[in-house]
Amino acid sequence: MSRIIVYTGKGGVGKTSVAAATALLAAERGYRTVILSTDAAHSLADSFDRPIGPEPTALGPNLWGQEPDLLHNIERYWGTIQRYVASLLTWRGLDEVRAEEMSVLPGMDELASLLLIADHDDRGTYDVIVVDAAPTGETLRLLSLPEAGRWWLERIYPIQRRLVQLGGPLLGRLTGMPMPETSVFRAGEELFERLEHTHELLSDPERTSVRVVLNLEKMVIKEAQRSFTYFHLYGYPTDLVVVNRVLPADAGPYFGAWREAQARYRPLVDESFAPVPIRSAPFFAQEVLGDEMLRRLGGAIFSTDDPTDIFFRGRPYSVRRTDGGWVLELELPFTSREEVHLARVGDELVVRVGSWRRNLILPRALDDTRSAGASFHDHTLSISFEATQEGASDHDQP
């Protein structure tokens, strides 16, 4: 069982350097460690100042780096489906080259890299898997896909497959349209199953931690707060916030205003993310490249601590019994009541925060209940359920 650490943050905050420093320290503590990038714009090789290939490349004792080959991964996870979609587009009149390009869904390259995490874990080759993820917006989109894939597989996919089995042969003869074979549906099922497996892995608080890297700048902090909320919304555990590039007190007059701004923002970070621990790293006098500088960065963040430790355990989602039924509680930090919208459809609870939405499948204990109201207090959404003999009913909340 591997320990998985996912680093994310706004572009330019030093996320890759912090991830690389963590991997180097973990390897020097004796853990077999691999660090891989899910960002299409790989920069791990730049951080280690040496070449890194599409397969795990040895970087030192107990340490491997990987910058995945996007085209290879797309073929691996999407190839069968892609070939069918390309044939369908060709039938519609597109030339083969354009059909080939359009048959790759946007985001499949990053998604294929995300699935590599589960592959490494399944093989059991490494003790620690460190992920240099894409900037927060892309990472959140990717982390929401496994749950969407599960919903599609359970509710829509069986209907589609049955319709094609019943009407596909006749439709194909009448129109000449290529129909998906069993292998296409099986490839789709395998992809969704891998997504579900990846989701289970990344949402396990005993194995996986998401760590947010930020700088002491207003826009960066605001984005970190939003991502922190969405990680909670999707149930991904966050155990650490790293404040990077903190100027020293004697930064000099040229950096005086910048230093003062950082000093103003630091209490905001400490208060906002509590009780999640905050670690700091200085703004070094030279660029963080190569093992020696990465070692200094890792030492500044973790000191003598083990970088693979779980620094915080929280429960962003829980269900508790009450006298009149049950209460489901979901932590949504940095969110206002006006941003939260709820709807219940059967055994699904739809939670929308701003532009992000999660379809939460309710526990079986809540099947025969009806929604009885909701409240939002201290960044916690509480939804009440009452038992009813008629079974769960559809109920909307504003």
Side-chain angles (χ1 to χ4, degrees):
M1 294 176 59
S2 303
R3 173 77 168 102
I4 302 170
I5 303 171
V6 181
Y7 279 100
T8 187
K10 187 175 176 63
V13 297
K15 165 183 55 65
T16 298
S17 297
V18 174
T22 301
L24 179 62
L25 262 62
E28 291 181 345
R29 283 180 171 269
Y31 300 108
R32 296 170 301 164
T33 304
V34 63
I35 178 170
L36 62 93
S37 169
T38 62
D39 191 347
H42 300 308
S43 55
L44 277 179
D46 299 329
S47 188
F48 282 101
D49 201 22
R50 72 190 78 170
I52 294 179
E55 295 297 326
T57 303
L59 300 175
N62 297 318
L63 181 61
W64 291 262
Q66 183 176 14
E67 293 184 337
D69 184 324
L70 302 183
L71 294 178
H72 172 75
N73 286 343
I74 289 174
E75 169 62 27
R76 178 179 181 181
Y77 296 109
W78 187 247
T80 302
I81 302 172
Q82 180 187 7
R83 283 186 285 275
Y84 166 69
V85 175
S87 69
L88 193 62
L89 294 174
T90 303
W91 173 76
R92 289 293 298 166
L94 269 70
D95 62 80
E96 292 186 4
V97 175
R98 185 172 299 180
E100 183 79 12
E101 292 178 350
M102 293 185 64
S103 61
V104 179
L105 293 180
M108 271 306 302
D109 44 5
E110 293 98 334
L111 177 61
S113 298
L114 186 69
L115 294 174
L116 278 177
I117 300 171
D119 288 349
H120 283 314
D121 180 74
D122 290 345
R123 296 190 188 101
T125 307
Y126 305 105
D127 303 313
V128 179
I129 302 171
V130 179
V131 182
D132 175 30
T136 45
E138 296 177 38
T139 299
L140 288 164
R141 177 171 57 85
L142 291 177
L143 292 179
S144 67
L145 283 176
E147 193 164 271
R150 179 179 62 183
W151 186 89
W152 184 270
L153 180 62
E154 292 177 351
R155 300 180 182 272
I156 303 298
Y157 206 68
I159 299 174
Q160 285 187 323
R161 186 168 189 171
R162 186 61 177 164
L163 288 175
V164 171
Q165 288 175 340
L166 293 175
L170 177 60
L171 184 62
R173 287 195 298 270
L174 292 176
T175 65
M177 181 175 69
M179 302 305 298
E181 299 178 354
T182 302
S183 60
V184 176
F185 284 103
R186 185 56 199 153
E189 290 172 355
E190 290 176 354
L191 176 61
F192 289 143
E193 288 167 0
R194 294 302 296 171
L195 281 171
E196 173 65 10
H197 176 48
T198 303
H199 177 266
E200 292 175 352
L201 192 61
L202 295 178
S203 59
D204 183 350
E206 296 303 317
R207 302 191 58 191
T208 299
S209 297
V210 176
R211 294 178 179 174
V212 179
V213 182
L214 58 84
N215 300 148
L216 292 174
E217 301 174 12
K218 186 174 182 178
M219 291 180 60
V220 174
I221 295 171
K222 288 296 184 182
E223 179 164 327
Q225 290 175 331
R226 285 192 292 269
S227 64
F228 193 71
T229 298
Y230 299 139
F231 290 139
H232 276 255
L233 178 63
Y234 288 102
Y236 293 110
T238 304
D239 80 326
L240 193 66
V241 173
V242 178
V243 179
N244 194 28
R245 297 173 181 161
V246 179
L247 289 169
D250 57 349
Y254 183 82
F255 295 100
W258 188 5
R259 169 63 187 171
E260 290 177 4
Q262 288 192 345
R264 289 197 309 270
Y265 289 133
R266 180 54 195 258
L268 173 63
V269 172
D270 292 337
E271 295 169 4
S272 298
F273 294 97
V276 176
I278 313 292
R279 297 291 178 96
S280 298
F283 192 105
F284 288 101
Q286 63 188 90
E287 194 172 4
V288 180
L289 293 176
D291 288 2
E292 182 56 35
M293 287 304 299
L294 290 174
R295 193 173 291 112
R296 289 180 60 188
L297 175 60
I301 298 171
F302 298 104
S303 184
T304 58
D305 291 337
D306 189 331
T308 69
D309 283 347
I310 299 175
F311 294 101
F312 176 76
R313 287 178 169 87
R315 297 191 62 184
Y317 164 83
S318 64
V319 177
R320 57 182 174 85
R321 188 73 179 263
T322 64
D323 293 338
W326 291 264
V327 173
L328 182 150
E329 294 181 331
L330 179 67
E331 291 184 15
L332 296 174
F334 313 116
T335 305
S336 66
R337 175 66 183 88
E338 292 72 26
E339 294 179 280
V340 180
H341 299 269
L342 303 176
R344 180 174 179 184
V345 183
D347 63 346
E348 287 188 58
L349 181 69
V350 181
V351 183
R352 183 162 62 86
V353 180
S355 60
W356 291 89
R357 187 182 73 174
R358 180 183 183 188
N359 287 57
L360 185 67
I361 305 300
L362 296 173
R364 289 187 179 274
L366 303 182
D367 281 352
D368 296 328
T369 65
R370 65 180 182 86
S371 306
S375 62
F376 192 78
H377 182 66
D378 288 340
H379 307 297
T380 299
L381 173 65
S382 300
I383 307 166
S384 301
F385 297 86
E386 294 179 350
T388 172
Q389 295 181 353
E390 288 78 13
S393 61
D394 295 353
H395 186 78
D396 290 339
Q397 299 285 348

